[in-house]
Amino acid sequence: MDPGDVRIYACGPTVYDYAHIGNARMIVVFDAFVRLLRRLYPAVTYVRNITDVEDKIIDAAKANNEPIAALTARTAQTFQEDMAALGCLPPDVEPRATDHIAEMITMIETLLERDHAYAADGHVLFEVASMADYGVFARRNQDELIAGARVEVAPYKKSPMDFVLWKPSDDSQPGWQSPWGRGRPGWHIECSAMAKRYLGVTFDIHGGGEDLVFPHHQNEIAQSCSVHDGAALANYWMHNGFLMVEGQKMSKSLGNHLIVHDLCQDHPGEALRLSLLTTHYRQMLDFTGDGIAQAKRTLDRWYQAVGDAEPATDLPEAVLAALCDDFNTPRAITELHRLGDAALKGDPAAARGLKAGAQIIGLLTQDADAWAHWQPDNAALAENEIEAQIEARRQARENRDFARADLIRDELASLGIVLEDGQQGTSWRRAG
């Protein structure tokens, strides 16, 4: 809309628990996409919210016997740290729902004035029948909408599809004064209000996971378009696909509910990031242990290929073309492999191109030596212990005790430590 400033909104976390790898896929995809936009446009305004008032938060705080404010502060901070470990930059604006209650109340009042909402039994609900094309965005008919909404069929609702804009709060629940009594907002109105506050009535791109198409994004559209005389909420919508784990749906009951905080203790964050980008963002992704290991090996090769090379000023044309074609990261990564092969054969231009092409999606952003020396939290040997073993091996070789030197090398190899002898001495790295 404004060639000088691309405006994008993505639905962020509800901070009641640690983020899982499915949550992380959305954050990584849109972080990489925004990095590309920043390369192509003079400015980008990226807004990603934090939902810090919601029934799941209330339930989790009660289960933990923990104040709600303490729970949301702790989990929001952990979320930010975990996403940073995956190489994600902070958004330009990260609004919290609880800081924007006034905007939500104003929007609800407008919906009431325009007969798109009604008050009943302390609640305010959006009347779905007031919007002729409700459900078109989600591509669902009325029966599918009722089944998919999974909302409470309450006696105060005119229709089962009507959804809550405002609900009453008792003394044990967070609440704010409103024209309808003390209460709290529904989930959907939060994003509508925050998006308008920071990006205006209509903005360029709205993003989120495929699971948010209905009801969340459909309901955002219903609220925002009804308030703004039919003006579009966003001109483009991007949704990343679902994530499976080892071919199965991720769930706590199956024991495959993978928490990012835990994964980052055992794997480099950049390897997790690469594994999330190897599948096209709109396709289902099967997240596997083999996939993480392959991503780690790939990054080992690429870091070895680029060394301390400076990134090229211009992006490799094939990488840029892939990313500009519906953000096709798998095709871009194929081109990065080609550049990596050429760089390992001694082509300095390929090394610079590899670094530039990888960095545009948030890869190869750290020092090659730091990458080689990364260690998991439960590493059998700390860095100083490895250095001591290398020194012991050097002394053994100096004393022509080659059997001892070979034994040290083999012992380190068994622990995943690869030694590389060169003119400048012996260096080491952790194997993928």
Side-chain angles (χ1 to χ4, degrees):
M1 297 173 64
D2 174 3
D5 184 11
V6 178
R7 290 173 290 157
I8 179 170
Y9 184 95
C11 292
T14 300
V15 285
Y16 68 97
D17 201 354
Y18 290 158
H20 56 67
I21 195 63
N23 304 139
R25 184 186 190 191
M26 190 281 286
I27 304 298
V28 167
V29 163
F30 285 96
D31 174 78
F33 180 59
V34 168
R35 286 172 183 263
L36 174 66
L37 292 178
R38 293 194 193 285
R39 183 66 178 246
L40 300 176
Y41 294 90
V44 176
T45 302
Y46 177 34
V47 180
R48 188 185 70 217
N49 73 294
I50 287 180
T51 296
D52 58 352
V53 53
E54 212 264 345
D55 288 354
K56 289 180 180 178
I57 295 173
I58 297 171
D59 294 342
K62 185 180 295 185
N64 296 349
N65 194 27
E66 180 179 17
I68 287 175
L71 170 67
T72 57
R74 174 174 58 80
T75 51
Q77 180 176 346
T78 302
F79 167 80
Q80 291 163 339
E81 292 170 352
D82 289 344
M83 296 309 108
L86 298 181
C88 297
L89 302 172
D92 297 293
V93 187
E94 194 170 36
R96 295 180 180 237
T98 52
D99 293 332
H100 298 81
I101 302 298
E103 290 99 320
M104 298 174 204
I105 290 174
T106 297
M107 188 170 278
I108 294 169
E109 288 177 324
T110 303
L111 289 168
L112 284 164
E113 291 168 4
R114 299 188 175 187
D115 294 327
H116 287 292
Y118 58 94
D121 197 18
H123 295 71
V124 182
L125 298 108
F126 184 91
E127 187 169 1
V128 167
S130 72
M131 185 181 185
D133 60 352
Y134 183 89
V136 171
F137 173 79
R139 300 177 181 176
R140 302 189 184 201
N141 61 39
Q142 183 167 317
D143 290 340
E144 290 173 324
L145 292 170
I146 294 173
R150 299 181 189 172
V151 292
E152 178 186 4
V153 182
Y156 50 78
K157 284 188 174 187
K158 293 183 180 180
S159 164
M161 291 191 296
D162 295 347
F163 58 88
V164 171
L165 301 170
W166 190 263
K167 64 179 73 174
S169 295
D170 62 33
D171 291 341
S172 68
Q173 297 169 326
W176 292 261
Q177 292 303 319
S178 79
W180 319 287
R182 183 177 179 276
R184 60 193 190 276
W187 173 34
H188 313 302
I189 198 69
E190 297 177 7
C191 284
S192 285
M194 288 184 282
K196 180 187 177 184
R197 167 69 177 78
Y198 294 102
L199 298 174
V201 171
T202 303
F203 50 93
D204 294 294
I205 302 167
H206 195 312
E210 186 179 352
D211 58 313
L212 298 182
V213 172
F214 186 81
H216 185 50
H217 288 167
Q218 177 66 76
N219 289 352
E220 276 189 69
I221 290 171
Q223 297 159 161
S224 296
C225 292
S226 297
V227 165
H228 301 129
D229 298 319
L233 173 58
N235 283 341
Y236 293 92
W237 290 78
M238 290 178 64
H239 294 97
N240 62 277
F242 292 109
L243 181 144
M244 306 281 279
V245 175
E246 304 287 354
Q248 293 184 301
K249 183 177 179 179
M250 183 170 59
S251 71
K252 291 181 179 179
S253 62
L254 292 175
N256 63 356
H257 188 78
L258 301 181
I259 301 301
V260 176
H261 194 70
D262 296 337
L263 288 168
C264 286
Q265 296 177 27
D266 298 325
H267 308 282
E270 201 168 308
L272 299 173
R273 183 185 183 92
L274 176 56
S275 66
L276 291 172
L277 293 173
T278 52
T279 298
H280 191 276
Y281 77 92
R282 285 191 288 106
Q283 303 302 316
M284 181 179 291
L285 184 153
D286 190 13
F287 188 80
T288 66
D290 287 345
I292 301 172
Q294 179 57 56
K296 172 65 165 59
R297 289 191 294 270
T298 293
L299 289 165
D300 286 344
R301 292 184 75 252
W302 288 355
Y303 271 107
Q304 183 182 356
V306 300
D308 57 1
E310 290 295 321
T313 303
D314 296 325
L315 288 177
E317 290 186 9
V319 173
L320 182 59
L323 296 177
C324 288
D325 180 12
D326 195 18
F327 200 54
N328 193 331
T329 55
R331 200 173 70 180
I333 289 168
T334 297
E335 177 61 19
L336 294 177
H337 279 297
R338 190 192 69 76
L339 290 168
D341 291 342
L344 286 169
K345 293 175 182 177
D347 183 344
R352 294 193 297 272
L354 170 60
K355 198 164 192 177
Q359 287 186 348
I360 201 65
I361 54 174
L363 302 170
L364 300 188
T365 60
Q366 56 188 290
D367 177 77
D369 189 60
W371 169 265
H373 290 181
W374 179 89
Q375 62 183 37
D377 288 359
N378 61 351
L381 288 178
E383 184 169 336
N384 62 331
E385 295 173 312
I386 296 169
E387 296 289 355
Q389 290 287 74
I390 291 174
E391 174 59 20
R393 177 174 175 268
R394 186 195 65 78
Q395 292 179 3
R397 295 176 75 186
E398 192 174 280
N399 296 332
R400 304 189 66 79
D401 187 353
F402 298 116
R404 171 65 177 157
D406 290 346
L407 179 61
I408 293 173
R409 174 190 281 275
D410 292 345
E411 288 177 345
L412 289 173
S414 70
L415 297 173
I417 309 301
V418 178
L419 302 186
E420 295 173 345
D421 296 318
Q423 293 182 348
Q424 304 301 317
T426 301
S427 61
W428 64 274
R429 60 181 174 83
R430 295 190 184 273

